[in-house]
Amino acid sequence: MDVIAFLGSPRKGGNTETLLNEAIRGTGMDVRVFDLNGMDIQPCQDCGDCEGTGECTIQDDMQEVALAIRAADRIILASPVFFSGVSAQTKAMIDRCQQFWCEKFLLKKPIPAGEYERRGLFLVVGGMKTPSGVECAGTTAKAWFRSISVPEHKTLAYTGVDAMGAIKKHPAALGEAFEAGRALIQP
Ligand SMILES: Cc1cc2nc3c(=O)[nH]c(=O)nc-3n(C[C@H](O)[C@H](O)[C@H](O)COP(=O)(O)O)c2cc1C
């Protein structure tokens, strides 16, 4: 089973990364993690090149990401809430998946499910107590999973988690992330 993960927070050892590491530990697998902050992923230019081909023509690290998304059986997306949505690092990668949207909805060629089906997990952490930020981020994640032919995903969302390391003081978050990782790899 091929499991990949995206880390959308720039804060090293921050709340999102801590949560993601627990989920990965729960899988018990060797998960390939794309640390988006350190990658060269330019924003989508809406050039339309992918409309007829399902392929993006921008040459950067997204080529490698796209191959990994295509091959994966399980995909974990982890992002902090930044201004009521996913982080810019996360959103740039998501927007570049327009190539998969075109392939699926214009060319009628969804990414085929392999032996294990395709399933996802969305981890999101917001500093404010109100749920609107994680909800907006969740809407984006839902559209993304659908476009990359991941028909089913679970979401773990935590609000009021702001300071560095605050997630470690949350009464349930780390255990829930571990369990979600464990559940993710079940057939
Ligand atoms: C640029 C920026 C924008 C933010 N905007 C929001 C927001 O709109 N809503 C919210 O709940 N938290 C917001 N936060 C707080 C982060 O979501 C919070 O600190 C989170 O725990 C960061 O996760 P990390 O440690 O993985 O980076 C923002 C933080 C930054 C740096």
Side-chain angles (χ1 to χ4, degrees):
M1 184 181 287
D2 184 357
V3 188
I4 63 170
F6 294 97
L7 173 60
S9 171
R11 189 152 69 168
K12 283 273 120 213
N15 298 316
T16 309
E17 188 172 20
T18 302
L19 208 52
L20 176 60
N21 285 343
E22 278 307 293
I24 289 172
R25 221 167 55 80
T27 68
M29 296 189 66
D30 189 12
V31 175
R32 183 175 184 191
V33 180
F34 291 95
D35 186 350
L36 295 173
N37 192 50
M39 297 182 72
D40 174 22
I41 299 180
Q42 296 169 46
C44 173
Q45 300 299 302
D46 194 8
C47 61
D49 285 356
C50 62
E51 286 172 14
T53 63
E55 278 174 32
C56 181
T57 51
I58 300 173
Q59 299 297 316
D60 61 12
D61 290 344
M62 192 63 200
Q63 311 283 324
E64 194 187 344
V65 168
L67 286 174
I69 287 175
R70 198 178 283 288
D73 303 299
R74 300 288 184 268
I75 301 180
I76 307 175
L77 179 67
S79 178
V81 175
F82 280 5
F83 283 89
S84 298
V86 294
S87 67
Q89 292 85 347
T90 307
K91 190 60 162 47
M93 183 279 292
I94 285 177
D95 286 356
R96 291 286 299 287
C97 288
Q98 178 68 357
Q99 57 190 309
F100 292 114
W101 187 93
C102 290
E103 192 178 52
K104 181 175 179 183
F105 294 107
L106 300 182
L107 306 177
K108 312 291 181 205
K109 288 195 285 188
I111 299 171
E115 188 186 343
Y116 302 104
E117 304 295 323
R118 282 165 70 82
R119 297 216 312 265
L121 173 63
F122 179 47
L123 306 172
V124 58
V125 183
M128 288 162 59
K129 288 192 177 133
T130 51
S132 57
V134 296
E135 284 168 5
C136 286
T139 301
T140 301
K142 186 176 175 188
W144 178 66
F145 277 124
R146 183 167 168 258
S147 298
I148 60 168
S149 299
V150 173
E152 200 186 302
H153 74 277
K154 182 182 169 69
T155 297
L156 288 185
Y158 299 98
T159 55
V161 176
D162 202 10
M164 180 83 176
I167 197 75
K168 292 181 186 156
K169 295 179 189 145
H170 190 284
L174 299 189
E176 287 172 353
F178 182 90
E179 180 52 31
R182 200 195 59 75
L184 185 68
I185 55 137
Q186 300 309 308

